[in-house]
Amino acid sequence: MSIERFDLSGRRVIVTGGARGLGLGMGIGMAQAGAEVWALDVLEERFEEARAEASEAGVAIDFFGCDVRNPEEVGEVAARGDDGTPLVLLNNAGVGERTPMMDLPYEEWSWVLDVNTYGLFVCARAFGAVMLEQGSGSIINIASVYGFLGPDARMYTFYDGGPSSAAYAASKGGVIAITRSLAAGWAARGVRVNSISPGMFITDQTSDIVDETGKATILERTPMARFGRPDDLIGAAIFLASDASSFVTGHNLVVDGGWSIW
């Protein structure tokens, strides 16, 4: 198979939560593969720094202030992108709770589900409509190993002896289920829908929830004996966005260093 099948030239990739962390890393990787990248995020104060990071990597990314939970804001970006350019949607925006389950307030539970599942639904519907009209497209949803495995709460600084990350786990399980549902419904209309489930990645957003003891536990449980790096997701995202995966839909690609095999 020619390496050209991984080329994203001529495509526009929409990355939600794309102003920092794994989202920005994947956006930069997509741009390096030839795509035009639009990053959506509520963190507009991060845009200047994110542009600089992209520029340092030799690419340019367009940033849009947008709350994925707001259908009007998402619809405006989708309408702007409805110009015939082939689309890829990378639903990366996500949050997690910091409160143990027995103390978890409804507002925090609702916030996690709103961003991680409702926000994904809003974006998939808006950009999916454009893809369906075009008769082609790829949607990639970022799930988690905690969408199909129970969290090992002992790794986390907020562990209180009971269940943790219940809202996050519920939302990421939902992401995998939504992925399969959309894939089944849209396959015959040319739109592929897949998900990626990362394992243990330590980022600026998550470094506060794992102390040194927790990090050691993670490494002991990971066959590859290291944490995930932002670059580890880029290849998976490019594969699912490109023609290299033209017969792949409804799949949950696990990128976890072997975490889930034992």
Side-chain angles (χ1 to χ4, degrees):
M1 181 175 65
S2 171
I3 194 68
E4 292 178 0
R5 291 183 64 81
F6 292 89
D7 186 9
L8 299 180
S9 297
R11 304 184 196 200
R12 178 178 296 131
V13 178
I14 312 296
V15 183
T16 69
R20 67 176 180 178
L22 300 179
L24 178 59
M26 286 186 285
I28 289 173
M30 295 283 205
Q32 290 171 332
E36 174 190 2
V37 177
W38 290 7
L40 280 53
D41 211 308
V42 294
L43 301 175
E44 297 186 45
E45 69 277 7
R46 273 279 307 164
F47 287 0
E48 184 175 349
E49 185 176 349
R51 286 192 191 94
E53 290 182 42
S55 179
E56 188 174 333
V59 297
I61 293 177
D62 294 318
F63 291 88
F64 297 82
C66 181
D67 186 337
V68 296
R69 300 169 298 175
N70 188 316
E72 291 185 2
E73 292 182 8
V74 173
E76 288 176 3
V77 181
R80 184 169 177 174
D82 187 7
D83 60 2
T85 303
L87 291 181
V88 174
L89 171 63
L90 177 55
N91 275 314
N92 166 76
V95 296
E97 74 267 34
R98 297 291 194 270
T99 307
M101 181 176 175
M102 298 308 293
D103 300 316
L104 184 67
Y106 169 78
E107 292 76 14
E108 192 171 2
W109 168 278
S110 180
W111 170 63
V112 173
L113 271 292
D114 273 356
V115 175
N116 295 0
T117 54
Y118 178 65
L120 182 150
F121 158 76
V122 170
C123 292
R125 182 169 64 175
F127 291 101
V130 178
M131 295 180 191
L132 292 170
E133 183 70 22
Q134 294 178 347
S136 66
S138 174
I139 297 176
I140 306 164
N141 301 319
I142 301 301
S144 168
V145 292
Y146 286 165
F148 59 91
L149 293 177
D152 185 347
R154 295 169 298 175
M155 299 185 310
Y156 299 104
T157 56
F158 52 78
Y159 174 58
D160 68 344
S164 66
S165 301
Y168 182 80
S171 71
K172 293 304 185 177
V175 168
I176 296 171
I178 292 169
T179 296
R180 292 172 176 158
S181 178
L182 295 179
W186 289 350
R189 300 178 66 182
V191 178
R192 298 183 299 108
V193 188
N194 294 285
S195 59
I196 298 174
S197 282
M200 303 303 141
F201 286 71
I202 304 297
T203 68
D204 291 342
Q205 299 101 288
T206 61
S207 59
D208 65 315
I209 66 174
V210 182
D211 58 18
E212 293 307 311
T213 299
K215 290 178 181 178
T217 302
I218 292 172
L219 294 179
E220 289 173 0
R221 283 199 50 180
T222 304
M224 292 186 71
R226 69 170 175 84
F227 296 105
R229 297 185 289 259
D231 285 356
D232 292 322
L233 291 181
I234 293 174
I238 291 174
F239 168 66
L240 293 175
S242 71
D243 291 340
S245 61
S246 61
F247 200 50
V248 179
T249 197
H251 180 64
N252 180 47
L253 178 55
V254 179
V255 183
D256 69 350
W259 173 272
S260 59
I261 63 177
W262 63 8

